[in-house]
């Protein structure tokens, strides 16, 4: 077969083979992906700016009137009709889950002792090599899959800043490389992904594949501007003191999503429960 018709037919055949391969690149989970830069993310829904917000990672309860964004633990279900963020402890192990992690994925010092975040009694995860980052990501990715299956809109991987508590065993580059892995997976599941605290890495948001910020006390510590600039005001902020709430609202109340919670993030009925928006 020859002539223009043959050439057109051959071209269409080539395109039919090439296009699926091209569109498949960069999507899917982290397995086998190494630490390459993430490709363009799949379509995700971003949190609204300057919206009513509640931080419920200590236990789910019915959101107050006016709340449009809720963050809940991955063990809970999303709040119907709202923008839901799924909390995942991605860089450290929950104390009750320590024994379920392979021993070599817990960060150890030169004496072989596990490095602990003393504030929360949480072992740090070992992210020093691409191979270990892949293995940790495989577990975190399963949690992200669970968030997507439940119907959450986004994921909040906590303890991005754990390298600062690692006794210089982990680096910012290790943290960013790991975040890039789980960001790619979240995007493949059509979940947005938020940067938790770690103002010093806000400038790496594109390299890490991050879409918005979840901050604790950015008003109290004068860090809101860093996040607002990096994430175009897509910032949800939790303040744990009345003074922090006042500072956050005075400068950022018309732009960011801000709530005052008790430090235990407890549920209504608890003696420690606090939730304020003004």
């Amino acid at each position: 077969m020859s002539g223009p018709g043959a050439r057109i037919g051959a071209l269409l055949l080539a395109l039919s083979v090439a296009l699926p391969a091209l569109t498949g690149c960069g999507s899917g989970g982290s397995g086998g992906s190494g630490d390459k830069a993430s490709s363009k993310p799949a379509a995700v829904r971003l949190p609204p700016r300057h919206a009513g917000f509640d931080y419920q990672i200590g236990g789910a309860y019915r959101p107050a009137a006016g709340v449009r964004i809720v963050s809940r633990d991955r063990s809970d279900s999303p709040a119907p009709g709202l923008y839901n963020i799924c909390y995942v402890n991605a860089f450290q192990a929950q104390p009750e889950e320590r024994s379920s992690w392979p021993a070599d994925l817990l960060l150890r010092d030169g004496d072989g002792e596990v490095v602990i975040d003393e504030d929360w009694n949480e072992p740090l995860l070992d992210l020093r090599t691409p191979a270990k980052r892949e293995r940790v990501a495989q577990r975190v990715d399963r949690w992200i899959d669970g968030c997507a299956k439940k119907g959450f809109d986004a994921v909040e991987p906590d303890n991005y800043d754990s390298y600062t508590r690692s006794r210089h065993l982990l680096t910012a580059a290790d943290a960013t490389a790991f975040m890039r892995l789980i960001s790619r997976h979240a995007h493949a599941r059509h979940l947005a992904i938020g940067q938790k605290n770690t103002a010093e890495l806000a400038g790496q948001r594109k390299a890490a594949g991050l879409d918005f910020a979840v901050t604790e006390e950015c008003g109290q510590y004068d860090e809101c501007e860093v996040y607002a600039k990096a994430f175009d005001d897509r910032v949800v902020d939790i303040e744990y003191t009345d003074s922090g709430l006042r500072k956050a609202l005075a400068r950022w109340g018309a732009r960011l999503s801000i709530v005052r919670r008790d430090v235990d993030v407890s549920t209504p009925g608890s003696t420690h429960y606090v939730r304020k928006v003004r």
Side-chain angles (χ1 to χ4, degrees):
M1 186 175 181
S2 59
R7 290 195 295 274
I8 292 172
L11 178 59
L12 290 175
L13 178 61
L15 286 173
S16 70
V17 173
L19 284 176
L22 288 172
T23 56
C25 292
S27 64
S30 61
S33 60
D35 289 339
K36 296 178 182 178
S38 58
S39 59
K40 185 177 180 180
V44 298
R45 180 185 172 208
L46 299 179
R49 297 180 180 90
H50 185 224
F53 171 53
D54 199 2
Y55 202 52
Q56 299 186 3
I57 68 169
Y61 52 89
R62 185 173 182 174
V67 170
R68 296 172 58 199
I69 305 172
V70 172
S71 184
R72 289 179 170 175
D73 188 77
R74 63 183 174 87
S75 62
D76 285 319
S77 297
L82 303 183
Y83 187 93
N84 287 274
I85 303 169
C86 188
Y87 173 92
V88 172
N89 194 353
F91 289 76
Q92 299 180 178
Q94 299 285 109
E96 67 273 14
E97 295 179 349
R98 173 174 174 169
S99 62
S100 71
W101 282 93
D104 69 318
L105 291 183
L106 301 180
L107 184 67
R108 296 175 186 272
D109 62 19
D111 296 322
E113 298 296 321
V114 175
V115 179
I116 302 291
D117 176 351
E118 300 293 346
D119 287 339
W120 300 100
N121 192 32
E122 294 179 353
L124 275 64
L125 299 174
D126 192 345
L127 307 174
R128 288 177 290 184
T129 68
K132 287 191 173 184
R133 288 193 286 270
E134 287 278 359
R135 290 173 59 203
V136 175
Q138 286 173 6
R139 175 176 292 218
V140 175
D141 286 348
R142 291 196 295 271
W143 298 339
I144 291 173
D145 290 344
C147 295
K149 186 175 181 180
K150 286 185 174 183
F152 282 90
D153 300 288
V155 62
E156 170 195 344
D158 200 9
N159 291 306
Y160 189 23
D161 61 349
S162 62
Y163 72 94
T164 65
R165 300 182 288 277
S166 71
R167 305 176 194 169
H168 305 289
L169 295 171
L170 297 173
T171 67
D174 294 331
T176 302
F178 179 69
M179 184 66 85
R180 187 160 57 242
L181 286 179
I182 59 176
S183 293
R184 184 183 300 121
H185 189 84
H187 287 153
R189 299 299 181 266
H190 302 283
L191 295 173
I193 185 164
Q195 173 171 323
K196 182 68 173 289
N197 298 322
T198 325
E200 63 273 18
L201 295 186
Q204 298 296 313
R205 61 154 296 219
K206 290 185 178 179
L210 295 161
D211 303 303
F212 64 98
V214 180
T215 68
E216 292 175 297
E217 302 190 283
C218 77
Q220 182 71 32
Y221 294 106
D222 298 316
E223 294 178 335
C224 295
E225 185 170 4
V226 174
Y227 298 108
K229 182 178 180 180
F231 292 94
D232 193 21
D233 287 359
R234 293 193 193 274
V235 178
V236 294
D237 174 51
I238 308 98
E239 298 291 333
Y240 294 116
T241 64
D242 288 341
S243 62
L245 178 64
R246 287 193 296 270
K247 288 181 65 176
L249 291 176
R251 176 78 188 277
W252 302 100
R255 293 173 56 179
L256 309 184
S257 303
I258 301 168
V259 69
R260 155 85 155 96
R261 288 300 329 267
D262 57 284
V263 71
D264 294 324
V265 205
S266 55
T267 58
S270 166
T271 56
H272 302 293
Y273 174 77
V274 176
R275 182 183 183 274
K276 299 178 182 179
V277 293
R278 61 176 61 89

